[in-house]
Amino acid sequence: MWGDAFNTRANKVRMHEWKQSGVTGYYDQVAWLLPETMAETADNLARNNLLANPYCIGPWGFLITDKPTHPSHGEMEKILEHWGRTYEPFTEAYRRYGTMAYSVCEECFVARDDKAWDNPEVLRDYRLYLKERYGDIAKINEIWNAKFGGFDEINQISFADAKTSRQPTRWLDQELHKVDRFNKVTEKIYDTIQQRDPGAGISIDCQGGMDY
């Protein structure tokens, strides 16, 4: 059941009625609650023998940029730090009773604005990604059908330019860079959960929805 369990009369009535109907757990909507309310919600579910699948939060509109306007925007290192901190109150509230799983990626997505991805911070991180992935420039030149003298010469390429220059793998690597960094955010969230609530599961919900 998707619901809330913090202390309101309506929530208490619904909790009682849903239990009568055979509900055994909550997809507990705690993503934007204050820490003390998260704890209250976890307490109420435990008192009523209801399992918790806390709907936490994940990177909506993920974007690497030097001009962040959203918690899912910024330098990669700072984005990872933010999501690590974000999960501290969630685990503090729910690890006391255990969970079905922490819902860590609900309708999350990579920002699709190509112009927004064309910025110096992306390029810095993209070059770092290519070094991690390929090791040396000769391998990139072979795969991309290119003639770069070093990683610092690499810039981003549009889909149209990649198509006309017969460098589809070059454009594909740009897209894989976004996916790799997006996945690293979820990895950071998972690591934080495991450090603070060892053995806890995670769930990934509502993928492939309108945000894609």
Side-chain angles (χ1 to χ4, degrees):
M1 177 62 66
W2 186 323
D4 301 304
F6 53 86
N7 283 330
T8 65
R9 184 172 183 275
N11 278 343
K12 290 175 181 177
V13 170
R14 281 194 291 264
M15 192 177 300
H16 174 76
E17 294 300 318
W18 286 334
K19 282 176 63 181
Q20 297 298 106
S21 301
V23 171
T24 59
Y26 267 37
Y27 185 51
D28 195 16
Q29 188 171 327
V30 297
W32 298 281
L33 298 182
L34 295 172
E36 55 268 27
T37 311
M38 293 180 196
E40 180 183 288
T41 300
D43 291 342
N44 286 338
L45 290 174
R47 287 190 193 104
N48 285 275
N49 295 317
L50 289 165
L51 297 170
N53 178 202
Y55 164 27
C56 301
I57 197 168
W60 290 3
F62 171 75
L63 172 67
I64 298 172
T65 178
D66 53 349
K67 297 178 180 178
T69 58
H70 184 277
S72 293
H73 299 172
E75 299 173 13
M76 193 63 204
E77 296 82 359
K78 292 181 179 179
I79 293 174
L80 293 176
E81 288 173 8
H82 166 79
W83 286 108
R85 291 193 308 271
T86 297
Y87 269 75
E88 291 177 4
F90 295 137
T91 52
E92 188 70 24
Y94 287 92
R95 65 185 178 183
R96 297 169 297 151
Y97 307 110
T99 65
M100 297 169 64
Y102 292 86
S103 175
V104 302
C105 188
E106 210 275 354
E107 297 183 7
C108 298
F109 63 104
V110 175
R112 302 308 302 168
D113 183 351
D114 288 340
K115 289 183 179 179
W117 281 95
D118 186 10
N119 70 72
E121 185 58 30
V122 169
L123 188 57
R124 183 190 73 81
D125 192 75
Y126 178 48
R127 290 168 175 169
L128 179 62
Y129 163 80
L130 292 173
K131 289 177 183 178
E132 293 168 357
R133 181 172 172 82
Y134 292 111
D136 81 67
I137 198 68
K139 191 166 184 66
I140 288 179
N141 285 332
E142 179 184 353
I143 293 170
W144 287 3
N145 187 31
K147 296 180 180 179
F148 292 108
F151 288 96
D152 290 345
E153 295 180 11
I154 296 174
N155 290 302
Q156 298 190 79
I157 191 169
S158 69
F159 177 77
D161 287 345
K163 189 174 181 180
T164 56
S165 63
R166 298 182 182 275
Q167 293 183 320
T169 49
R170 180 177 169 187
W171 177 84
L172 179 60
D173 266 323
Q174 286 179 190
E175 298 303 297
L176 292 176
H177 165 239
K178 298 173 188 177
V179 173
D180 178 83
R181 290 339 197 201
F182 176 85
N183 288 343
K184 283 190 180 301
V185 177
T186 303
E187 290 171 7
K188 176 63 176 180
I189 290 170
Y190 176 77
D191 288 344
T192 301
I193 291 171
Q194 292 305 309
Q195 289 166 11
R196 297 178 58 81
D197 189 358
I202 66 170
S203 61
I204 299 176
D205 309 295
C206 296
Q207 295 287 60
M210 64 181 181
D211 298 315
Y212 288 89

